[in-house]
Amino acid sequence: MAEILKGAPAAAALTEQLIRRAEALKERGVVPTLAILRVGEREDDISYETGARKRCAKVGVEVRQFLLPADGTKEQLLDAVREINADRSIHGCLMFRPLPDRDMENAACALLAPEKDVDGMTAGSLAAVYAGKGAGFAPCTAQAVMELLDHYGVALTGKRAVVVGRSLVIGRPVAMLLQQKNATVTMCHTRTADLPGECRRADVLVVAAGKAGVVTKDYVAPGQTVIDVGIHVGEDGKLCGDVKFDEAEGVVSAITPVPGGVGSVTTAVLCKHVIEAAERTAP
Ligand code: NAP
């Protein structure tokens, strides 16, 4: 049976550190503050927002909500971003993505002040992640994968890491972050010739394909650590990941559950980024 890499202990350890950093900021007269910018009432956005609010309350990060109707215009969205940029008491902004209108989303990402981009939305943040230097933050989910690996002491130097998925939000930044930790990284996608074979060769397998149960027992091998980033509502109405957990668990050394894995760490990473952004501007 594999070791189950639950997200909650990693998130709790990070939260403890962040509480102390938030207190230190408050002693310097700074209340770390996150703007949450949401367009519409998508159920998964609201559920993530509820989790983020709870984590922020625990850490001592203030939250300000900027809410637009589902049919809000590009100008309304850009006005909200301008307001966030101009407000010196706001240190970070989380905007729910993807927006139905990609043009609106791209315009908002381009307008956000880089120093308030705590979720890797702007080109500058992604460039910093790819260059391995600079002040930009990685997208929170990508960073949450790294926090989990770090919390459980998973070795990366010299190891073979395989990432399934090449999105700008998860796959690509995770691959870059793994490489910065000296893993030898292979990125897979829908055109990969032998996906099961590539996956089986991994020491660390990160799956962010966005397809429920795409990774079966034929894709995994003994000794592996498997990080499942996917999150879906299965046919039985229960949450499940991109990996068939019941099949993989009997083969690999360690695996994250869904729910209760990567997703549980993401809001703690969001708070970490807000606190870091606040520390950079604190007097
Ligand atoms: P995305 O933009 O749809 O990208 C999916 C990537 O996976 C693409 O690069 C695609 O390849 C690749 N892919 C899809 N099906 C594949 C297959 N059968 N074989 C190999 N590669 C395949 O998704 P995303 O935004 O990166 O999100 C990935 C997953 O993470 C989703 O399930 C999402 O719900 C979840 N998620 C979790 C959290 C969390 O906190 N846990 C947060 C955000 C998202 P191509 O490039 O060739 O199309």
Side-chain angles (χ1 to χ4, degrees):
M1 290 290 256
E3 181 189 1
I4 308 302
L5 307 181
K6 290 189 179 167
L14 187 53
T15 301
E16 282 312 308
Q17 291 172 24
L18 296 175
I19 289 170
R20 289 194 290 279
R21 284 167 68 179
E23 279 165 1
L25 274 168
K26 281 172 195 160
E27 279 164 20
R28 291 158 73 186
V30 177
V31 180
T33 300
L34 170 71
I36 294 186
L37 177 50
R38 173 156 58 83
V39 180
E41 304 288 334
R42 277 182 42 172
E43 213 175 295
D44 46 353
D45 290 350
I46 292 171
S47 131
Y48 185 78
E49 185 175 325
T50 306
R53 281 175 176 280
K54 277 190 197 149
R55 182 74 60 186
C56 286
K58 208 170 215 171
V59 167
V61 170
E62 196 176 297
V63 173
R64 286 207 228 135
Q65 190 192 52
F66 292 73
L67 189 56
L68 267 72
D71 60 354
T73 64
K74 182 173 169 185
E75 223 19 69
Q76 282 176 311
L77 181 67
L78 296 185
D79 278 346
V81 175
R82 283 188 197 101
E83 195 179 329
I84 290 164
N85 284 350
D87 188 333
R88 292 170 59 114
S89 67
I90 293 176
H91 304 99
C93 171
L94 170 73
M95 181 180 85
F96 287 103
R97 294 175 288 163
L99 295 181
D101 182 334
R102 279 302 167 112
D103 173 53
M104 239 166 100
E105 178 180 324
N106 292 339
C109 289
L111 185 65
L112 181 66
E115 67 275 14
K116 299 192 182 191
D117 178 17
V118 289
D119 194 25
M121 282 167 49
T122 60
S125 296
L126 290 176
V129 173
Y130 298 147
K133 58 185 180 205
F137 296 107
C140 293
T141 305
Q143 187 62 44
V145 169
M146 303 308 292
E147 297 284 345
L148 247 173
L149 290 169
D150 184 55
H151 178 81
Y152 285 102
V154 177
L156 292 173
T157 296
K159 300 295 179 187
R160 190 186 290 270
V162 171
V163 180
V164 183
R166 56 177 167 181
S167 75
L168 274 181
V169 181
I170 305 177
R172 279 190 240 193
V174 165
M176 290 298 145
L177 295 170
L178 288 165
Q179 205 169 73
Q180 280 162 29
K181 294 288 180 188
N182 302 313
T184 303
V185 183
T186 302
M187 291 179 71
C188 300
H189 43 75
T190 52
R191 308 294 176 93
T192 296
D194 174 19
L195 187 62
E198 295 294 349
C199 290
R200 282 196 305 267
R201 280 189 279 279
D203 297 306
V204 175
L205 175 62
V206 179
V207 188
K211 296 272 183 307
V214 71
V215 168
T216 65
K217 63 180 183 328
D218 301 328
Y219 290 59
V220 292
Q224 292 184 320
T225 297
V226 178
I227 308 291
D228 187 354
V229 185
I231 187 149
H232 314 273
V233 180
E235 283 165 11
D236 56 2
K238 290 185 185 156
L239 290 178
C240 64
D242 288 353
V243 179
K244 283 202 170 143
F245 183 88
D246 295 343
E247 293 189 13
E249 190 204 2
V251 178
V252 303
S253 281
I255 183 167
T256 58
V258 178
V262 176
S264 319
V265 186
T266 313
T267 57
V269 169
L270 175 66
C271 289
K272 181 182 174 185
H273 289 177
V274 175
I275 286 183
E276 253 170 63
E279 285 169 346
R280 286 176 192 166
T281 57

